[in-house]
Amino acid sequence: WITLFAKYHFWLVLSKFLYNFSKFKGQNMKKAVCIMSGGMDSTLCAVMAKRAGHDVVALHFDYGQRTMKREKRAFDEICERLGVVKKINLDVSFIAQIGGNSLTDKSLQIRKDGVSKDVPNTYVPFRNGVFISIAAALAEKEGAQAIYIGVVEEDSSGYPDCKESFIKSINEAINLGTSADFSCEIVTPLVNLSKADIVSKSLELNSPIELTWSCYESEDEACGLCDSCRLRLNGFKKANAVDKIPYKK
């Protein structure tokens, strides 16, 4: 009986310890909402978030863009590769109803004459502002300490909602407009990197860059001519790396 009681007591103490440990671990686990488009920038951000010790909540948006199905496929495949358990795909098709951009309005031509300093018609008005606002609501609900977004100001098409100054301002607004016991940081690890830097960093950290999709126009083979394709290809070229996704001949 003494031996039986000792065994019972041991398992009782062990079970209580494991319960309290799991509870402590859950309360102290860092969590980050990662806005993921299926492109190489946001994918690298998710990899960096995981390496920083965050439990990733992956957030993807369908807004009626031309390559919506292909981007969704990339998002799903990337999440599977990264072992992301919680992923959320939201319908924000009201963005297409607002219009004013060639990603959602097929009556407009996507620019293919090269990247220039002016803001192209592929700019979706305040898209990142909308995405970040929704991500903030999710972060508050999830108790996340960070929102990761792959904005790039240095080597990009010049979208105004990719500027570091904008991110800083909207971060302040989020912390002012949420509950007093909630605070989060918008993390933009790529904002001042070139596309070549991003390609090199992706390869260094084993980010699944071959699963990503960047083309604005095509879903089967990338066009190779839109701003996004040009920036991507130029990044691979400068990084002396090979892009494994298919391109039109």
Side-chain angles (χ1 to χ4, degrees):
W1 283 105
I2 294 174
T3 303
L4 185 63
F5 176 78
K7 287 182 178 180
Y8 172 77
H9 181 70
F10 169 77
W11 286 113
L12 182 64
V13 171
L14 180 62
S15 63
K16 283 184 178 181
F17 170 77
L18 291 174
Y19 171 78
N20 289 327
F21 177 75
S22 64
K23 189 176 180 181
F24 172 79
K25 186 178 179 183
Q27 289 174 342
N28 289 273
M29 170 70 77
K30 293 194 299 182
K31 190 179 289 188
V33 172
C34 294
I35 301 172
M36 298 176 64
S37 66
M40 66 178 188
D41 301 343
S42 61
T43 299
L44 177 57
C45 279
V47 169
M48 295 173 82
K50 284 181 69 69
R51 289 176 69 91
H54 290 287
D55 183 18
V56 168
V57 178
L59 178 59
H60 181 75
F61 296 101
D62 291 337
Y63 58 97
Q65 67 271 40
R66 295 178 190 234
T67 55
M68 184 172 73
K69 291 180 180 178
R70 185 62 184 85
E71 289 178 25
K72 176 62 166 53
R73 174 185 148 193
F75 169 70
D76 287 336
E77 291 176 350
I78 291 161
C79 285
E80 183 176 359
R81 177 72 65 84
L82 298 183
V84 173
V85 175
K86 188 158 193 174
K87 60 178 185 176
I88 298 170
N89 187 75
L90 294 181
D91 179 355
V92 288
S93 53
F94 64 84
I95 289 176
Q97 290 179 283
I98 293 171
N101 68 90
S102 60
L103 294 192
T104 61
D105 186 346
K106 292 184 179 180
S107 69
L108 300 175
Q109 293 292 317
I110 290 176
R111 184 172 71 184
K112 293 186 176 181
D113 57 356
V115 181
S116 62
K117 291 184 179 180
D118 65 311
V119 178
N121 67 3
T122 49
Y123 166 63
V124 181
F126 205 62
R127 179 182 62 181
N128 283 340
V130 174
F131 287 178
I132 291 169
S133 298
I134 295 171
L138 179 61
E140 184 172 18
K141 176 254 180 182
E142 289 287 334
Q145 296 80 28
I147 297 170
Y148 277 71
I149 183 169
V151 294
V152 179
E153 181 175 3
E154 195 68 23
D155 190 5
S156 67
S157 296
Y159 297 164
D161 56 358
C162 287
K163 292 180 179 179
E164 193 171 15
S165 56
F166 165 71
I167 298 298
K168 181 180 179 181
S169 295
I170 199 168
N171 200 161
E172 291 175 358
I174 286 168
N175 286 326
L176 284 171
T178 47
S179 55
D181 60 348
F182 171 77
S183 177
C184 77
E185 177 189 5
I186 301 177
V187 184
T188 57
L190 316 182
V191 69
N192 293 313
L193 299 187
S194 68
K195 285 295 183 182
D197 293 333
I198 292 167
V199 171
S200 297
K201 197 71 175 175
S202 295
L203 295 172
E204 176 192 337
L205 299 183
N206 199 30
S207 179
I209 200 168
E210 73 281 0
L211 299 179
T212 64
W213 195 255
S214 302
C215 185
Y216 284 150
E217 187 176 61
S218 302
E219 294 190 304
D220 50 354
E221 296 177 321
C223 73
L225 297 173
C226 66
D227 277 12
S228 189
C229 280
R230 287 178 186 271
L231 288 165
R232 178 179 175 127
L233 286 169
N234 191 49
F236 272 90
K237 183 179 179 181
K238 288 185 176 180
N240 295 314
V242 177
D243 191 359
K244 296 180 181 179
I245 70 167
Y247 285 88
K248 292 182 178 179
K249 304 297 184 183

